Amino acid sequence: MISSKGIRQFHRWLSVTFTAAVVLNLIVMGRGDIAMWIGLGTLVPLILLMITGLYMFALPYAARWRARRVGG
């Protein structure tokens, strides 16, 4: 099982990757010749950011649910 710390580190690096992809996308759009793969390339880290962010968001709720289930 992947640790919570590993997920957080992965999420941080994904944010750096996403930021670089957006900057690259803006540079290419400024030149006028837009490549479809650059625009779509920003979606991959964005989707992974959403998944890891939702996972980290749900962790405290899952821990409370498990504690109530075991304790009660």
Side-chain angles (χ1 to χ4, degrees):
M1 187 166 133
I2 299 176
S3 70
S4 178
K5 185 177 179 181
I7 291 287
R8 283 188 175 89
Q9 188 69 28
F10 183 65
H11 187 81
R12 285 184 195 120
W13 281 107
L14 274 175
S15 66
V16 171
T17 305
F18 176 69
T19 303
V22 169
V23 169
L24 180 64
N25 193 2
L26 291 173
I27 291 170
V28 170
M29 285 176 61
R31 290 183 48 207
D33 48 345
I34 299 172
M36 182 64 83
W37 67 270
I38 292 177
L40 293 176
T42 58
L43 290 179
V44 174
L46 181 62
I47 291 169
L48 291 172
L49 274 170
M50 182 187 70
I51 292 169
T52 56
L54 288 172
Y55 172 79
M56 289 189 301
F57 178 78
L59 279 177
Y61 297 106
R64 276 189 238 148
W65 178 75
R66 277 183 287 197
R68 269 189 282 158
R69 191 169 175 196
V70 171

